[in-house]
Amino acid sequence: MSENNIDDNNSTCQMCGEKHKHRDDSEKKYLLNRLNRIEGQVRGIKSMVENDAYCTDVLVQTAAVIGALNSFSRELLSEHIRTCVSNDIRAGKDDTVDELIALLHKLMK
């Protein structure tokens, strides 16, 4: 068990029971950079509204943010399947497939 009470084998916190995912520094940096860019885009939209920008211009920027979030989600889902899901299946944790199916249903609403 690591010093933060997370069992490295199943990535579940022994104190709260929540699942956790350790990300290496390069993955974390990549994801955070993308989120920072999206955050900047959202601040730009806020500024556009504050400055009375034309509706279609705001909507185009909103669509860009939605696209960026969808791209971020696809990347994170791909990594989740390659690591968490694959590792759990190899370890015999079949309930992970049900968890993935439930997640896909939520994402496809």
Side-chain angles (χ1 to χ4, degrees):
M1 182 129 36
S2 64
E3 62 190 49
N4 59 1
N5 293 315
I6 296 176
D7 183 342
D8 294 325
N9 294 329
N10 65 14
S11 301
T12 301
C13 177
Q14 299 303 307
M15 296 180 72
C16 67
E18 291 182 11
K19 291 185 177 185
H20 295 270
K21 161 77 162 101
H22 173 75
R23 291 178 177 82
D24 62 39
D25 289 340
S26 63
E27 178 187 1
K28 191 178 291 190
K29 182 179 178 182
Y30 175 76
L31 292 172
L32 290 173
N33 283 340
R34 289 186 73 165
L35 288 172
N36 286 334
R37 275 187 257 132
I38 293 167
E39 183 180 27
Q41 287 177 291
V42 172
R43 279 195 307 271
I45 293 170
K46 180 180 177 188
S47 177
M48 291 175 78
V49 171
E50 290 171 343
N51 294 315
D52 298 322
Y54 192 57
C55 299
T56 57
D57 296 334
V58 176
L59 289 167
V60 166
Q61 290 306 310
T62 301
V65 169
I66 291 168
L69 280 169
N70 285 335
S71 178
F72 174 85
S73 294
R74 280 189 304 271
E75 183 66 32
L76 190 58
L77 177 60
S78 296
E79 187 63 21
H80 176 61
I81 292 169
R82 279 192 289 272
T83 58
C84 302
V85 174
S86 296
N87 292 339
D88 281 358
I89 289 171
R90 281 188 215 105
K93 298 177 185 176
D94 295 329
D95 60 322
T96 299
V97 173
D98 294 331
E99 181 184 82
L100 177 61
I101 291 169
L103 172 63
L104 292 172
H105 286 155
K106 288 178 185 178
L107 295 176
M108 293 181 170
K109 281 187 177 182

